[in-house]
Amino acid sequence: MQILNFTRNSLEEFLTGQGFKRFKAEQVMQWIYQKKVFSFEGMTNLSRQDRETFSQIFEITPLPEPQIFKSKDGTRKLTFTLEDGNVVEAVIIPEEKRQTLCISTQAGCPLRCAFCRTGSLGFSRNLEVREIVGQVIAAEMVLEESGQRLSNLVFMGMGEPLLNFDNLLKSIDILMDDFGLNFSNRRITVSTAGIADRIVELGERTNVNLAVSLHAVNDEKRSRIMPVNERFGLKQLLDALKGYPVGRKMIVLEYVLLNNFNDLPEDALALAKIAKLLDAKVNLIPFNTFPGAKFEPTPMKKILEFQNLLVAKHVTALIRKSRGGDELAACGQLGRLKHNGDKDA
Ligand code: SF4
């Protein structure tokens, strides 16, 4: 059994069922997540007997050592080759005062958004809890070498988090646990392409921030670039977002700008209306192109005009700086391709 797939509650339940004291779960979690000790032998405050029994019951297998590709702007892409040959990626994005990790939840993605390289590569499988949390452990270990720490986590890497819902919830549980990785809810954002029937449940069962890949303001355009819109149309999505219990959380609308497709003044005005309806902020994302992409990036002058239209309607709209483009580590560029753009054999 992989111990990294257990939340604290499930580990406590399992261990007490085996006759162990409840607090053993806390001790073991602290060793793994906080001291990064991955063998029971090294857990010196456990009795010899416990160490031996735990070694017989559990495996502690974090992700294999990643290959690290560093981009000129300091962004680091961590590429993990899993035991079954699947490749997943996580990206450490350095900013002035913080280090954000972009996490993957699936190997590939079934949603096939037209502007996304990951989607163009197809879907392989959901990641296990240990493979999701393992990306955070690995990134922390990489940063530790330079005396830095992760400050924010965004579920915006490969895959649609809400299609791996149970494992997403368990991972968030471990990430926020005092005996786990101890992140505050305000530092965690889950991004969805619009799986409307899970959005409210996510809000009820966690208190993390939500980002929604909106990218178009009517069904006709949205369905052309995001096939998921055929399943959950804009009205259903907006209804779900209206029902997202916000409180201390925040909703951000992500909007990738595709030249002469969704970057017209009428798009900006309709986007402003939606943002006001949801009391949401808007992140404008310059399109990161990739080989075979069907769209062109909107020129920066036009992006600024688009932003001004939103601001004039009193909507907070930021332009997200593109990071890591030279190492295919930027938004929508992750995929099981080698960093030089050649397909894996
Ligand atoms: S943008 Fe996100 S949801 Fe869409 S294909 Fe890419 S990874 Fe999947």
Side-chain angles (χ1 to χ4, degrees), residues 94-128:
E95 285 161 300
E96 215 175 299
K97 287 196 182 135
R98 57 188 196 184
Q99 302 279 342
T100 299
L101 183 71
C102 179
I103 306 170
S104 296
T105 49
Q106 297 183 308
C109 182
L111 294 188
R112 298 187 172 274
C113 301
F115 48 84
C116 173
R117 178 184 208 182
T118 310
S120 74
L121 295 168
F123 173 66
S124 183
R125 68 171 172 85
N126 279 334
L127 297 186
E128 293 175 33

mmCIF file of all heavy atoms in Angstrom, residues 94-128:
data_model
loop_
_atom_site.group_PDB
_atom_site.id
_atom_site.type_symbol
_atom_site.label_atom_id
_atom_site.label_comp_id
_atom_site.label_asym_id
_atom_site.label_seq_id
_atom_site.Cartn_x
_atom_site.Cartn_y
_atom_site.Cartn_z
ATOM 1 N N PRO A 94 8.919 31.583 -10.521
ATOM 2 C CA PRO A 94 9.395 32.548 -9.522
ATOM 3 C C PRO A 94 8.836 33.938 -9.804
ATOM 4 O O PRO A 94 8.769 34.366 -10.954
ATOM 5 C CB PRO A 94 10.914 32.537 -9.727
ATOM 6 C CG PRO A 94 11.107 32.138 -11.154
ATOM 7 C CD PRO A 94 9.898 31.370 -11.596
ATOM 8 N N GLU A 95 8.368 34.613 -8.769
ATOM 9 C CA GLU A 95 7.969 36.005 -8.906
ATOM 10 C C GLU A 95 8.709 36.778 -7.829
ATOM 11 O O GLU A 95 9.388 36.166 -7.005
ATOM 12 C CB GLU A 95 6.459 36.136 -8.743
ATOM 13 C CG GLU A 95 5.730 35.654 -9.979
ATOM 14 C CD GLU A 95 4.282 35.346 -9.712
ATOM 15 O OE1 GLU A 95 4.012 34.475 -8.878
ATOM 16 O OE2 GLU A 95 3.438 35.983 -10.311
ATOM 17 N N GLU A 96 8.519 38.077 -7.805
ATOM 18 C CA GLU A 96 9.314 38.902 -6.891
ATOM 19 C C GLU A 96 9.301 38.363 -5.458
ATOM 20 O O GLU A 96 10.326 38.117 -4.869
ATOM 21 C CB GLU A 96 8.780 40.324 -6.924
ATOM 22 C CG GLU A 96 9.878 41.349 -6.762
ATOM 23 C CD GLU A 96 9.314 42.728 -6.929
ATOM 24 O OE1 GLU A 96 8.791 43.018 -8.028
ATOM 25 O OE2 GLU A 96 9.359 43.467 -5.961
ATOM 26 N N LYS A 97 8.076 38.156 -4.953
ATOM 27 C CA LYS A 97 8.010 37.768 -3.538
ATOM 28 C C LYS A 97 7.477 36.363 -3.322
ATOM 29 O O LYS A 97 7.162 35.987 -2.206
ATOM 30 C CB LYS A 97 7.112 38.756 -2.791
ATOM 31 C CG LYS A 97 7.776 40.095 -2.590
ATOM 32 C CD LYS A 97 7.059 40.904 -1.542
ATOM 33 C CE LYS A 97 7.710 42.259 -1.409
ATOM 34 N NZ LYS A 97 6.777 43.344 -1.354
ATOM 35 N N ARG A 98 7.268 35.621 -4.398
ATOM 36 C CA ARG A 98 6.728 34.281 -4.172
ATOM 37 C C ARG A 98 7.194 33.281 -5.225
ATOM 38 O O ARG A 98 7.682 33.660 -6.286
ATOM 39 C CB ARG A 98 5.210 34.321 -4.094
ATOM 40 C CG ARG A 98 4.560 34.916 -5.306
ATOM 41 C CD ARG A 98 3.078 35.087 -5.047
ATOM 42 N NE ARG A 98 2.386 35.301 -6.309
ATOM 43 C CZ ARG A 98 1.101 35.552 -6.408
ATOM 44 N NH1 ARG A 98 0.352 35.589 -5.334
ATOM 45 N NH2 ARG A 98 0.542 35.747 -7.578
ATOM 46 N N GLN A 99 7.012 32.032 -4.866
ATOM 47 C CA GLN A 99 7.331 30.924 -5.762
ATOM 48 C C GLN A 99 6.045 30.131 -5.903
ATOM 49 O O GLN A 99 5.534 29.596 -4.919
ATOM 50 C CB GLN A 99 8.406 30.013 -5.148
ATOM 51 C CG GLN A 99 9.716 30.681 -4.798
ATOM 52 C CD GLN A 99 10.612 30.846 -6.019
ATOM 53 O OE1 GLN A 99 10.422 30.184 -7.041
ATOM 54 N NE2 GLN A 99 11.575 31.726 -5.916
ATOM 55 N N THR A 100 5.522 30.081 -7.112
ATOM 56 C CA THR A 100 4.261 29.379 -7.336
ATOM 57 C C THR A 100 4.542 28.067 -8.051
ATOM 58 O O THR A 100 5.368 28.021 -8.965
ATOM 59 C CB THR A 100 3.324 30.253 -8.204
ATOM 60 O OG1 THR A 100 3.067 31.456 -7.490
ATOM 61 C CG2 THR A 100 2.007 29.552 -8.502
ATOM 62 N N LEU A 101 3.855 27.009 -7.634
ATOM 63 C CA LEU A 101 3.982 25.739 -8.352
ATOM 64 C C LEU A 101 2.694 25.456 -9.104
ATOM 65 O O LEU A 101 1.602 25.487 -8.532
ATOM 66 C CB LEU A 101 4.252 24.583 -7.382
ATOM 67 C CG LEU A 101 4.469 23.231 -8.095
ATOM 68 C CD1 LEU A 101 5.810 23.219 -8.819
ATOM 69 C CD2 LEU A 101 4.400 22.058 -7.117
ATOM 70 N N CYS A 102 2.836 25.187 -10.394
ATOM 71 C CA CYS A 102 1.693 24.796 -11.229
ATOM 72 C C CYS A 102 1.687 23.258 -11.275
ATOM 73 O O CYS A 102 2.663 22.636 -11.684
ATOM 74 C CB CYS A 102 1.873 25.414 -12.610
ATOM 75 S SG CYS A 102 0.559 24.998 -13.729
ATOM 76 N N ILE A 103 0.583 22.666 -10.829
ATOM 77 C CA ILE A 103 0.523 21.212 -10.593
ATOM 78 C C ILE A 103 -0.364 20.527 -11.641
ATOM 79 O O ILE A 103 -1.396 21.067 -12.030
ATOM 80 C CB ILE A 103 -0.111 20.942 -9.205
ATOM 81 C CG1 ILE A 103 0.637 21.702 -8.113
ATOM 82 C CG2 ILE A 103 -0.171 19.466 -8.883
ATOM 83 C CD1 ILE A 103 -0.091 21.672 -6.765
ATOM 84 N N SER A 104 0.026 19.323 -12.047
ATOM 85 C CA SER A 104 -0.799 18.518 -12.959
ATOM 86 C C SER A 104 -1.641 17.517 -12.170
ATOM 87 O O SER A 104 -1.209 17.038 -11.113
ATOM 88 C CB SER A 104 0.090 17.738 -13.941
ATOM 89 O OG SER A 104 0.804 18.636 -14.771
ATOM 90 N N THR A 105 -2.820 17.201 -12.709
ATOM 91 C CA THR A 105 -3.691 16.221 -12.041
ATOM 92 C C THR A 105 -3.981 14.994 -12.910
ATOM 93 O O THR A 105 -4.561 14.025 -12.435
ATOM 94 C CB THR A 105 -5.042 16.850 -11.654
ATOM 95 O OG1 THR A 105 -5.545 17.525 -12.793
ATOM 96 C CG2 THR A 105 -4.904 17.797 -10.490
ATOM 97 N N GLN A 106 -3.641 15.096 -14.197
ATOM 98 C CA GLN A 106 -3.855 13.953 -15.081
ATOM 99 C C GLN A 106 -2.636 13.821 -15.997
ATOM 100 O O GLN A 106 -1.941 14.818 -16.255
ATOM 101 C CB GLN A 106 -5.102 14.179 -15.957
ATOM 102 C CG GLN A 106 -6.394 14.298 -15.152
ATOM 103 C CD GLN A 106 -7.628 14.459 -16.038
ATOM 104 O OE1 GLN A 106 -7.664 15.321 -16.908
ATOM 105 N NE2 GLN A 106 -8.630 13.623 -15.803
ATOM 106 N N ALA A 107 -2.391 12.588 -16.482
ATOM 107 C CA ALA A 107 -1.368 12.417 -17.513
ATOM 108 C C ALA A 107 -2.097 12.658 -18.830
ATOM 109 O O ALA A 107 -2.961 11.878 -19.217
ATOM 110 C CB ALA A 107 -0.783 11.010 -17.451
ATOM 111 N N GLY A 108 -1.802 13.786 -19.478
ATOM 112 C CA GLY A 108 -2.573 14.218 -20.641
ATOM 113 C C GLY A 108 -3.861 14.868 -20.177
ATOM 114 O O GLY A 108 -4.031 15.177 -19.003
ATOM 115 N N CYS A 109 -4.776 15.091 -21.111
ATOM 116 C CA CYS A 109 -6.056 15.713 -20.753
ATOM 117 C C CYS A 109 -7.096 15.296 -21.782
ATOM 118 O O CYS A 109 -6.823 15.315 -22.979
ATOM 119 C CB CYS A 109 -5.926 17.227 -20.718
ATOM 120 S SG CYS A 109 -7.473 18.029 -20.223
ATOM 121 N N PRO A 110 -8.303 14.924 -21.323
ATOM 122 C CA PRO A 110 -9.316 14.488 -22.289
ATOM 123 C C PRO A 110 -10.092 15.644 -22.932
ATOM 124 O O PRO A 110 -10.902 15.408 -23.814
ATOM 125 C CB PRO A 110 -10.266 13.639 -21.417
ATOM 126 C CG PRO A 110 -10.118 14.186 -20.036
ATOM 127 C CD PRO A 110 -8.730 14.758 -19.924
ATOM 128 N N LEU A 111 -9.851 16.888 -22.520
ATOM 129 C CA LEU A 111 -10.763 17.967 -22.930
ATOM 130 C C LEU A 111 -10.412 18.655 -24.248
ATOM 131 O O LEU A 111 -11.231 19.362 -24.805
ATOM 132 C CB LEU A 111 -10.910 19.004 -21.800
ATOM 133 C CG LEU A 111 -11.600 18.465 -20.540
ATOM 134 C CD1 LEU A 111 -11.888 19.596 -19.565
ATOM 135 C CD2 LEU A 111 -12.905 17.746 -20.865
ATOM 136 N N ARG A 112 -9.239 18.490 -24.720
ATOM 137 C CA ARG A 112 -8.857 18.927 -26.064
ATOM 138 C C ARG A 112 -9.188 20.385 -26.396
ATOM 139 O O ARG A 112 -9.771 20.670 -27.450
ATOM 140 C CB ARG A 112 -9.513 18.014 -27.126
ATOM 141 C CG ARG A 112 -9.084 16.583 -27.016
ATOM 142 C CD ARG A 112 -9.574 15.700 -28.138
ATOM 143 N NE ARG A 112 -8.963 14.390 -28.046
ATOM 144 C CZ ARG A 112 -7.783 14.073 -28.564
ATOM 145 N NH1 ARG A 112 -7.095 14.977 -29.223
ATOM 146 N NH2 ARG A 112 -7.277 12.870 -28.422
ATOM 147 N N CYS A 113 -8.869 21.297 -25.504
ATOM 148 C CA CYS A 113 -9.040 22.717 -25.827
ATOM 149 C C CYS A 113 -8.109 23.047 -27.004
ATOM 150 O O CYS A 113 -6.956 22.614 -27.030
ATOM 151 C CB CYS A 113 -8.682 23.597 -24.636
ATOM 152 S SG CYS A 113 -9.695 23.247 -23.187
ATOM 153 N N ALA A 114 -8.639 23.848 -27.937
ATOM 154 C CA ALA A 114 -7.916 24.034 -29.197
ATOM 155 C C ALA A 114 -6.623 24.830 -29.059
ATOM 156 O O ALA A 114 -5.751 24.754 -29.908
ATOM 157 C CB ALA A 114 -8.831 24.740 -30.192
ATOM 158 N N PHE A 115 -6.510 25.595 -27.963
ATOM 159 C CA PHE A 115 -5.327 26.455 -27.807
ATOM 160 C C PHE A 115 -4.283 25.804 -26.909
ATOM 161 O O PHE A 115 -3.325 26.436 -26.494
ATOM 162 C CB PHE A 115 -5.751 27.800 -27.185
ATOM 163 C CG PHE A 115 -6.637 27.604 -25.985
ATOM 164 C CD1 PHE A 115 -6.102 27.360 -24.745
ATOM 165 C CD2 PHE A 115 -8.021 27.592 -26.137
ATOM 166 C CE1 PHE A 115 -6.913 27.124 -23.650
ATOM 167 C CE2 PHE A 115 -8.838 27.360 -25.037
ATOM 168 C CZ PHE A 115 -8.287 27.124 -23.800
ATOM 169 N N CYS A 116 -4.477 24.517 -26.572
ATOM 170 C CA CYS A 116 -3.638 23.903 -25.550
ATOM 171 C C CYS A 116 -2.898 22.689 -26.089
ATOM 172 O O CYS A 116 -3.488 21.774 -26.644
ATOM 173 C CB CYS A 116 -4.515 23.484 -24.365
ATOM 174 S SG CYS A 116 -3.632 22.549 -23.120
ATOM 175 N N ARG A 117 -1.610 22.715 -25.889
ATOM 176 C CA ARG A 117 -0.777 21.620 -26.369
ATOM 177 C C ARG A 117 -1.088 20.306 -25.631
ATOM 178 O O ARG A 117 -1.126 19.239 -26.230
ATOM 179 C CB ARG A 117 0.679 22.000 -26.146
ATOM 180 C CG ARG A 117 1.615 20.930 -26.552
ATOM 181 C CD ARG A 117 3.003 21.361 -26.211
ATOM 182 N NE ARG A 117 3.900 20.724 -27.143
ATOM 183 C CZ ARG A 117 5.202 20.869 -27.104
ATOM 184 N NH1 ARG A 117 5.735 21.649 -26.207
ATOM 185 N NH2 ARG A 117 5.954 20.251 -27.957
ATOM 186 N N THR A 118 -1.306 20.411 -24.308
ATOM 187 C CA THR A 118 -1.594 19.196 -23.532
ATOM 188 C C THR A 118 -2.818 18.499 -24.115
ATOM 189 O O THR A 118 -2.823 17.285 -24.319
ATOM 190 C CB THR A 118 -1.883 19.552 -22.056
ATOM 191 O OG1 THR A 118 -0.859 20.404 -21.572
ATOM 192 C CG2 THR A 118 -1.954 18.311 -21.195
ATOM 193 N N GLY A 119 -3.874 19.307 -24.403
ATOM 194 C CA GLY A 119 -5.106 18.732 -24.935
ATOM 195 C C GLY A 119 -4.878 18.055 -26.276
ATOM 196 O O GLY A 119 -5.496 17.035 -26.591
ATOM 197 N N SER A 120 -3.955 18.611 -27.066
ATOM 198 C CA SER A 120 -3.735 18.041 -28.402
ATOM 199 C C SER A 120 -3.032 16.689 -28.318
ATOM 200 O O SER A 120 -2.981 15.946 -29.290
ATOM 201 C CB SER A 120 -2.929 19.021 -29.258
ATOM 202 O OG SER A 120 -1.579 19.020 -28.835
ATOM 203 N N LEU A 121 -2.490 16.354 -27.135
ATOM 204 C CA LEU A 121 -1.746 15.096 -27.010
ATOM 205 C C LEU A 121 -2.590 13.934 -26.493
ATOM 206 O O LEU A 121 -2.126 12.812 -26.404
ATOM 207 C CB LEU A 121 -0.551 15.307 -26.060
ATOM 208 C CG LEU A 121 0.496 16.281 -26.587
ATOM 209 C CD1 LEU A 121 1.478 16.652 -25.493
ATOM 210 C CD2 LEU A 121 1.228 15.698 -27.774
ATOM 211 N N GLY A 122 -3.856 14.202 -26.148
ATOM 212 C CA GLY A 122 -4.739 13.121 -25.693
ATOM 213 C C GLY A 122 -4.605 12.835 -24.204
ATOM 214 O O GLY A 122 -3.828 13.468 -23.492
ATOM 215 N N PHE A 123 -5.396 11.851 -23.760
ATOM 216 C CA PHE A 123 -5.496 11.548 -22.334
ATOM 217 C C PHE A 123 -4.938 10.163 -22.062
ATOM 218 O O PHE A 123 -5.196 9.231 -22.810
ATOM 219 C CB PHE A 123 -6.974 11.606 -21.929
ATOM 220 C CG PHE A 123 -7.233 11.155 -20.520
ATOM 221 C CD1 PHE A 123 -6.742 11.868 -19.441
ATOM 222 C CD2 PHE A 123 -7.980 10.001 -20.271
ATOM 223 C CE1 PHE A 123 -6.989 11.459 -18.135
ATOM 224 C CE2 PHE A 123 -8.234 9.582 -18.975
ATOM 225 C CZ PHE A 123 -7.739 10.314 -17.902
ATOM 226 N N SER A 124 -4.183 10.036 -20.977
ATOM 227 C CA SER A 124 -3.690 8.705 -20.620
ATOM 228 C C SER A 124 -4.396 8.197 -19.356
ATOM 229 O O SER A 124 -5.104 7.201 -19.398
ATOM 230 C CB SER A 124 -2.182 8.774 -20.430
ATOM 231 O OG SER A 124 -1.690 7.518 -20.151
ATOM 232 N N ARG A 125 -4.238 8.909 -18.219
ATOM 233 C CA ARG A 125 -4.916 8.445 -17.002
ATOM 234 C C ARG A 125 -4.916 9.542 -15.933
ATOM 235 O O ARG A 125 -4.165 10.518 -16.027
ATOM 236 C CB ARG A 125 -4.250 7.178 -16.452
ATOM 237 C CG ARG A 125 -2.847 7.390 -15.906
ATOM 238 C CD ARG A 125 -2.362 6.144 -15.186
ATOM 239 N NE ARG A 125 -0.974 6.221 -14.813
ATOM 240 C CZ ARG A 125 -0.515 6.787 -13.698
ATOM 241 N NH1 ARG A 125 -1.341 7.370 -12.850
ATOM 242 N NH2 ARG A 125 0.775 6.790 -13.422
ATOM 243 N N ASN A 126 -5.762 9.298 -14.917
ATOM 244 C CA ASN A 126 -5.756 10.176 -13.743
ATOM 245 C C ASN A 126 -4.494 9.919 -12.927
ATOM 246 O O ASN A 126 -4.018 8.780 -12.855
ATOM 247 C CB ASN A 126 -6.951 9.853 -12.839
ATOM 248 C CG ASN A 126 -8.223 10.495 -13.344
ATOM 249 O OD1 ASN A 126 -8.189 11.522 -14.031
ATOM 250 N ND2 ASN A 126 -9.354 9.906 -13.001
ATOM 251 N N LEU A 127 -3.994 10.961 -12.272
ATOM 252 C CA LEU A 127 -2.865 10.758 -11.362
ATOM 253 C C LEU A 127 -3.383 10.319 -9.998
ATOM 254 O O LEU A 127 -4.471 10.720 -9.571
ATOM 255 C CB LEU A 127 -2.067 12.055 -11.212
ATOM 256 C CG LEU A 127 -1.395 12.583 -12.486
ATOM 257 C CD1 LEU A 127 -0.520 13.788 -12.160
ATOM 258 C CD2 LEU A 127 -0.552 11.506 -13.169
ATOM 259 N N GLU A 128 -2.578 9.494 -9.330
ATOM 260 C CA GLU A 128 -2.900 9.105 -7.950
ATOM 261 C C GLU A 128 -2.621 10.288 -7.030
ATOM 262 O O GLU A 128 -1.873 11.208 -7.402
ATOM 263 C CB GLU A 128 -1.993 7.953 -7.492
ATOM 264 C CG GLU A 128 -2.219 6.650 -8.209
ATOM 265 C CD GLU A 128 -1.178 5.621 -7.756
ATOM 266 O OE1 GLU A 128 -0.748 5.641 -6.588
ATOM 267 O OE2 GLU A 128 -0.797 4.799 -8.597
#
